[in-house]
Amino acid sequence: MKKLRYSIGLLGLMLTHLAFSQTKLVETVTRKEGELIIPYQKYVLPNGLTLVVHEDHSDPIVHVDVTYHVGSAREEIGKSGFAHFFEHMMFQGSDHVADDEHFKLVTEAGGTLNGTTNGDRTNYFETVPSNQLERALWLEADRMGFLLDAVTQKKFEIQRATVKNERGQNYDNRPYGLAYEYTAKNLYPYGHPYSWLTIGYIEDLNRVNVNDLKNFFLRWYGPNNAVLTIGGDVDPKQVVQLTEKYFGSILKGPEVTKTIVPPVVVDKDRYVSYEDNIRFPMLRITYPTVARFHPDEAPLDALAQILGGGKSSLFYKNLVKTEKAVQANVGHPANELAGEFTFTVLPFPNVRLDSAEAIIRNSLTEFEARGVTDDDLAQFKATREAEIVNYLSSVAGKVSQLASFQTFTGSPNYLPTELKRYQALTKADIMRVYNQYIKGKKAVILTVYPKDKKEMVAHPDNYTVVTEGYKAPNYGYEGLKYAKAKDSFDRSKKPASGASPTLKVPPFWTDKLPNGLKMIGTKNDEVPNVTLLFSVKGGHTLSANDPSKAGIAQLTAALMNEATQNFSNEEINAKLEKLGSTIQIYASTEEIQVSVSSLTKNLDATLALVEEKMFRPKFATEDFDRLKKQQIELISNQSTQPVVIANKAYNRLLYGPDNIRAVPTSGTVKTVESITLADVKAFYQQNFSPSVTNLVIVGDVEKAALLPKLDFLKKWAAKPVALPKAPVAKKVDKTRIYLIDKDKAAQSEIRIGYLTDLPFDATGDYYRAGLANYILGGAFNSRINMNLREDKGWTYGARSAFGSTKTPGPFTASAGVKAAATDSSVVEFIKEITNYGKTGITEDELAFLKSSVGQRDALRYETSFQKALFLNQIIDYDLPGNFVEQQSQILQKMTKKEIDAIAKKHLPVNNMIITVVGNKSAVKPGLQRLGYEVVELDKEGNPAAAEGTSTPAALGGASSTTPKK
């Protein structure tokens, strides 16, 4: 009988293929040796769906992307946010896919998935093991052709609330989050497709109804307005057959034509402003330019980099280096219908914004006088080439490029043209576009000023949006009808998985220098690039020896990014840009890292600059003074950011005020003020040692060819570095709520957890605890996220995790939630943690855990960066080469009893810290009713000065752990 069923299934597939055999092969593009090109086959189905297939067997994975040529630019006045709203609705089930099952099925298969929306397109994508291709196509086809009957009022309301929370978290509650909204509505004419944000306005989201949303789907989500791009470990013939089977019967949608709008004209400088809860004011000047792929896009991109793209730019020299601004950059984002040339400056609080505007205009005059240099052009071309090469390092990156090129140019094979138009740039091209689009032209000049400081604006507001005379176009919503596809097979049957692919853990080599430096590496020749990652142990934790100098590791790393003994900062950055290379040095809690990326052909020259930066930093007084000032200002700025406030307070409560881990890596204003240049030099001399350094190398180079290039590392003298031991964590005596006031905050940040006794291990208790947490708060469809986001609509995302290194770290559950649901969210967090600790995992959840985690390794080793992280873990924790196999065995043998015991032991809900940052006047009364002691803290995590800040438990004493409303 099994053979008969298989034969019938195969016959059905063959009949389906015959029914849709009108699928046309449009073109085949192959790659010759040495070419930078993405090979593919392009097809068009009778219903208008474009299919692009890229075959790449380097990893056992496949990436599926469906791009619909609809974004917020297709929306109407008064109905903004539809495209993004619909992106959310597309994950809420369809006729043959149950509610929330899309996420579950992909995650269960070891894959990842998401969707994104911008002004011009919406895309949905999955990366899955290659044996899961058919399931991914079945899922995407079902929501393309069978969605609307599954769109209920309840789902609609939950996702509307989720989108509102996303706006609150990413825009309304974030410093400068509304800057682009103000720019867009004042730059573009009223009704222009780019005159509102993709997220939309709250009032529009409030007025929309479910039928409006259904009409939006019917108008724009037809197969003829979509590109299906599939890349990876696939057989193109099978891909075509499966695409015809699942997508071929979906009916063609209404015709979609290209949107055409006139060029944007700004006839006078438009000064506008708004107030925000910030420390640094913002000045943003925006000029209208050209659309993406316009001939002038490339020279305008080059102009942006020359003026403000790096440390050799004019803006850096005139604004950052002179200590007028903490940040200054220039960008040229270009989209399908228009582009913007934008200057953005965050001046120090003592710098007038009209003065900052004058510096910008003087910098442009300086540019006119000096023109474009040969170095400018060489740096831009090399940088752009490296960016393109790096983007092709993953199958997802290649698929995204093919999909974008097909959607906006009509040809997936635009990459050679893209390279050519940038490499063909001349100095004259750049000066021409400067004169045409910037010199003497008018702009929107936005000021974002701190609370109660409107006098800081660069110029009084002088512009109001003109709404008269606007006539809405006909979007074609009349007479739309929902008609489903008719099939010769049963869509309700989920496709079975193919044979599991053979996982390819990258083969690696190890070595060790006489000075103690440990090395690990692997060859990866998929792209002509090499990545190196140095990890110098110690980092911020070394300040435990002298807490009064906390922040010194970050300041030291920042200075190592500056001038060297042989080159100025500008000179060395110019050299790197000409090579298309990057060297970035930064500090974290436990290490200082040196991250290097180089095209293979430029590796020797890049390594010479690595040697210069690592071993010959200049530590110049002027650089030290400037960077110290910046670090102090940035610390002060943290008090305006709810996420940072929550993390700082939570860490202080976890570790205690005397633990260096309670202090941010940046230090405090007091500690950084005490640091001298001599302190930095001493910190570098005493702690920057090969004896505590690991080096990971991944890229297009053999070990035998690489090691001679690294001979300079043998000269690095070893020093004894004593890494501090972590103090023993103190147990939390009872669960309390710690409240930090953030006046008028639209959302509250919640952190719930405790400091564990679990150091990192790859195959022991820590690994097992992470597996147990996966169901509670690790996966998208975890209990916590499904409750707070998908069921309640209170948050854009909620999660939990164990986070340890060699030092035991915390268990933390966290979310940003809408203010009105703050107390209810705490209740639901505690409920989920309590229930999981009491009743443990279900058998279905255990099966999901084993399937999801057991198959996701196929996705873990694809890119050079992923390989580097994998190898870094091996060398850092001295793991055996087969630890992945050991993890797999542990996972498959895990029982419900074992996970239940872990949850019970490591989720001490009676002894946790609950930290809430929100609008005290709105959230405190609700929190007080939960039965916990409520302790108020200031923004630094210290007890608040006001009296009456502690509230006795109202229900059953202070140790009550059963929150009630």
Side-chain angles (χ1 to χ4, degrees), residues 128-150:
V128 293
S130 52
N131 65 320
Q132 302 292 340
L133 169 64
E134 186 171 1
R135 180 169 290 190
L137 293 177
W138 171 73
L139 287 166
E140 288 294 352
D142 210 64
R143 58 182 174 187
M144 178 186 282
F146 301 87
L147 182 87
L148 291 190
D149 285 347

Side-chain angles (χ1 to χ4, degrees), residues 625-664:
D625 291 341
R626 172 171 44 83
L627 292 172
K628 179 177 175 177
K629 177 182 177 181
Q630 285 184 2
Q631 191 160 321
I632 290 171
E633 289 289 347
L634 289 171
I635 292 167
S636 300
N637 184 52
Q638 291 171 354
S639 64
T640 67
Q641 301 172 39
V643 171
V644 178
I645 295 170
N647 291 339
K648 284 174 63 176
Y650 180 63
N651 283 338
R652 189 174 175 87
L653 292 164
L654 279 175
Y655 293 103
D658 297 328
N659 190 322
I660 193 62
R661 293 172 185 270
V663 181

Side-chain angles (χ1 to χ4, degrees), residues 228 376 425 763:
L228 170 62
D376 288 336
L425 274 178
T763 55

Side-chain angles (χ1 to χ4, degrees), residues 15-67:
L15 291 173
T16 302
H17 180 57
L18 288 172
F20 301 107
S21 59
Q22 297 177 44
T23 295
K24 294 180 181 178
L25 173 61
V26 177
E27 65 177 337
T28 298
V29 171
T30 57
R31 185 173 73 89
K32 297 176 183 177
E33 187 68 30
E35 277 188 319
L36 196 61
I37 203 168
I38 309 172
Y40 66 88
Q41 294 176 1
K42 174 182 171 181
Y43 303 84
V44 177
L45 276 64
N47 60 10
L49 177 68
T50 298
L51 168 66
V52 181
V53 185
H54 164 64
E55 187 176 4
D56 175 3
H57 299 292
S58 58
D59 292 282
I61 63 175
V62 60
H63 186 78
V64 176
D65 177 290
V66 183
T67 295

